[in-house]
Amino acid sequence: MTIRLVIGEATDVGKVRDHNEDGYLVDDGLGLVAVADGMGGHRGGEVASATAIEALHASFTQHGGLRDAVVAANDAVLDRADGDEALRGMGTTLTAGVLGDDGTLLIGHVGDSRAYLLRDGELTRITTDHSLVEELVAAGELTEEEAERDPRRSMITRALGLDSDLVVDLHPVILVPGDRVMFCSDGLTNMVSGREIADLLTKEGGAATAAQRLVDAANDAGGVDNITVLVLDATGDLPADVVEPRKRRGIFRRRV
Ligand code: MG
């Protein structure tokens, strides 16, 4: 069966920060999505996430190959930082997904943005955070619940823009109709528990409604960071009223 995606997105600066350093990409035509959470002073974070998203899209459009596109994004962030003293040291997370013809969603991942799968009402995290607290959880020194509240949770151990030698995690997910996949920056997961996320994703409503509902929940909880959420609904057949507006709207949406 052919799998198609209905994709909804929402992003917000949150309640504390004065600008949004998250970037995202939705290309319905390519079946390519990404979330990037930039870091670095002096607007470096915004530049890093935007540079990564642009380079990922350009590389994937030209050559295909998700891992190569993530590596190209890393190279682009390093090059950009190299050419500008004010941007030195900037970096970004990148969690990207592309739907293959066989209905497999391949996810390429670096950093602590996340991808989740909601299937039959059960929420599973697909990605592993490249962070200090996740390593402590893996080592049995912290529980998942303790990690959600640990003050060190923003310390990441892998990101784009740090080293030209990049290790990219790849996670293939074979989608079935009814699956809902969610990509997000840590502005969601630091504010809203996994249980609440599961509840909100299971409520009535389409992909865009679900994405906005999660962003609103993070803001209601304090919104201390930028929040970006993409929701991908896997379907076997698209109703005509879903296909047509998307065509009119153009295939490439992004905020960079
Ligand atoms: Mg963040």
Side-chain angles (χ1 to χ4, degrees):
M1 178 191 289
T2 309
I3 294 287
R4 297 172 194 279
L5 296 175
V6 179
I7 303 168
E9 77 270 17
T11 189
D12 194 74
V13 66
K15 298 237 184 253
V16 175
R17 304 284 177 91
D18 57 14
H19 54 280
N20 193 343
E21 299 192 336
D22 286 355
Y24 74 84
L25 167 72
V26 176
D27 188 324
D28 297 289
L30 288 173
L32 179 68
V33 299
V35 167
D37 179 352
M39 63 210 85
H42 213 81
R43 303 194 94 78
E46 272 174 289
V47 176
S49 58
T51 303
I53 293 283
E54 293 280 352
L56 174 89
H57 189 252
S59 171
F60 192 85
T61 304
Q62 259 190 295
H63 312 291
L66 188 64
R67 183 203 294 268
D68 288 351
V70 175
V71 169
N74 184 48
D75 293 343
V77 174
L78 284 167
D79 280 356
R80 187 74 206 275
D82 209 30
D84 189 337
E85 186 65 42
L87 300 176
R88 198 78 28 101
M90 70 177 180
T92 184
T93 71
L94 187 62
T95 303
V98 65
L99 181 68
D101 293 337
D102 61 353
T104 300
L105 181 72
L106 180 63
I107 294 172
H109 165 72
V110 177
D112 68 350
S113 299
R114 292 181 176 178
Y116 290 84
L117 172 66
L118 182 75
R119 176 176 287 168
D120 299 328
E122 196 174 317
L123 188 71
T124 317
R125 176 140 64 101
I126 300 164
T127 51
T128 304
D129 292 351
H130 301 132
S131 71
L132 177 68
V133 294
E134 190 97 326
E135 287 178 5
L136 293 173
V137 170
E141 291 173 36
L142 281 181
T143 66
E144 283 279 354
E145 290 70 33
E146 287 167 340
E148 281 185 359
R149 294 185 302 269
D150 194 288
R152 297 165 295 178
R153 64 183 178 239
S154 63
M155 295 174 68
I156 63 174
T157 52
R158 214 194 291 174
L160 271 63
L162 302 183
D163 196 318
S164 60
D165 193 13
L166 183 73
V167 180
V168 181
D169 289 356
L170 291 176
H171 304 275
V173 181
I174 299 166
L175 294 177
V176 297
D179 282 350
R180 171 168 271 186
V181 178
M182 190 270 285
F183 288 72
C184 64
S185 60
D186 68 343
L188 175 70
T189 48
N190 284 341
M191 305 308 301
V192 183
S193 72
R195 208 197 149 123
E196 287 172 80
I197 290 172
D199 285 349
L200 292 168
L201 281 173
T202 349
K203 276 192 176 176
E204 199 69 29
T209 303
Q212 190 59 52
R213 193 178 276 151
L214 289 171
V215 168
D216 291 346
N219 272 327
D220 290 346
V224 301
D225 194 4
N226 311 141
I227 313 134
T228 300
V229 176
L230 308 180
V231 173
L232 290 65
D233 282 337
T235 169
D237 294 297
L238 281 183
D241 61 338
V242 173
V243 177
E244 291 313 314
R246 180 66 44 76
K247 277 183 183 161
R248 282 199 298 273
R249 206 160 135 195
I251 57 159
F252 185 24
R253 294 171 269 162
R254 65 185 154 170
R255 194 207 69 76
V256 292

